[in-house]
Amino acid sequence: MKNHRLTPPQTLFNLLEQMYPDAHCELNFTNPFQLLIATILSAQATDRKVNQITDRMFQKYKTPQEFLQLTQAELETEIKEIGLFRNKAKNILATCRILVENHQGEVPNTFEALTELPGVGRKTANVVLSNAFGIPALAVDTHVLRVSNRLGLAVGKNPDLVEEQLKALIPPEKWSLAHHLLIWHGRRMCYAKHPQCQLCPLLSYCQDAQTANSKPQ
């Protein structure tokens, strides 16, 4: 098992902050409802594609009430360029119905209430809490999972367990920033395939790189 305490976590995050001083959520939104919808759409899709869809769609439909004026087939047409669009359309309409009926059309700001919404799992709830409400949360997506394991910040493939490990290493006020820094590094350098290791300022601290270098040739 990797020893994820060999390098102080703050050393890694200080370097990541220097590398990505503008790290932020790359989904476009102006309020919690827009972020909720965008994050539901983002499952197995790129933020760029989601933004292309929502930039157009949010000009026409701005509230849960307005979304509920659509049939599922009509909403599917709006988002058909994205993967899993039928299931996402179904979940979005069901979520909008719950927001209207149970939350006066507003997005709730608790983890428990968010995860009761169709299409909203732990990752989506944490994204909304962190970015829409400024509540300490640390969402673990595929980039965070991959990069945190490679750097030795966490061990394992279970997102919930990796979230627990990262939260134990990072103060709550830094959870959101850590999430963005790990994502930006995963999208810009630490790719799933062919990571740019030789260009990476974290190379000398990287657990994966040290393990690879220690193997007999």
Side-chain angles (χ1 to χ4, degrees):
M1 179 178 290
K2 296 177 183 177
N3 180 354
H4 62 278
R5 297 187 186 277
L6 286 176
T7 302
Q10 194 55 51
T11 299
L12 294 171
F13 283 108
N14 285 343
L15 287 168
L16 284 169
E17 283 194 67
Q18 294 173 27
M19 294 167 66
Y20 310 110
D22 299 321
H24 61 275
C25 178
E26 294 186 278
L27 291 170
N28 294 338
F29 68 98
T30 59
N31 56 53
F33 176 66
Q34 289 188 354
L35 179 59
L36 174 62
I37 299 304
T39 310
I40 291 174
L41 290 173
S42 70
Q44 299 184 37
T46 65
D47 285 359
R48 178 177 296 180
K49 174 56 69 175
V50 173
N51 288 337
Q52 289 174 355
I53 291 171
T54 57
D55 286 351
R56 177 188 70 233
M57 188 168 65
F58 289 155
Q59 292 182 34
K60 296 184 284 185
Y61 315 108
K62 298 178 171 57
T63 66
Q65 293 87 342
E66 291 179 350
F67 269 84
L68 288 174
Q69 295 174 10
L70 297 169
T71 65
Q72 181 171 329
E74 288 171 336
L75 182 52
E76 288 176 4
T77 299
E78 291 284 345
I79 65 174
K80 64 183 179 181
E81 305 151 60
I82 210 163
L84 307 174
F85 69 92
R86 290 188 178 87
N87 196 49
K88 290 176 181 178
K90 178 181 177 181
N91 285 335
I92 286 171
L93 290 177
T95 284
C96 287
R97 192 167 295 110
I98 292 173
L99 292 180
V100 170
E101 293 177 354
N102 298 346
H103 301 284
Q104 295 76 52
E106 300 295 327
V107 176
N109 64 353
T110 68
F111 180 85
E112 293 72 21
L114 283 166
T115 51
E116 289 177 354
L117 300 172
V120 178
R122 187 174 192 87
K123 185 201 80 171
T124 296
N126 282 333
V127 167
V128 173
L129 289 174
S130 173
N131 294 284
F133 296 109
I135 295 172
L138 205 165
V140 175
D141 68 355
T142 56
H143 300 293
V144 173
L145 190 71
R146 178 178 73 256
V147 175
S148 60
N149 269 270
R150 285 179 175 173
L151 292 178
L153 291 165
V155 178
K157 297 181 180 180
N158 184 305
D160 294 354
L161 295 180
V162 167
E163 180 186 332
E164 290 180 10
Q165 293 175 65
L166 291 174
K167 284 182 173 179
L169 295 175
I170 305 163
E173 64 272 15
K174 292 283 190 178
W175 287 350
S176 179
L177 177 59
H179 161 79
H180 294 311
L181 290 171
L182 292 170
I183 285 179
W184 277 48
H185 192 52
R187 287 176 174 169
R188 289 158 174 79
M189 188 165 289
C190 195
Y191 309 126
K193 297 181 179 180
H194 311 301
Q196 304 296 300
C197 297
Q198 297 307 315
L199 301 176
C200 182
L202 303 181
L203 180 62
S204 61
Y205 302 99
C206 178
Q207 194 89 90
D208 256 23
Q210 301 311 312
T211 300
N213 289 337
S214 66
K215 292 180 179 178
Q217 299 298 316

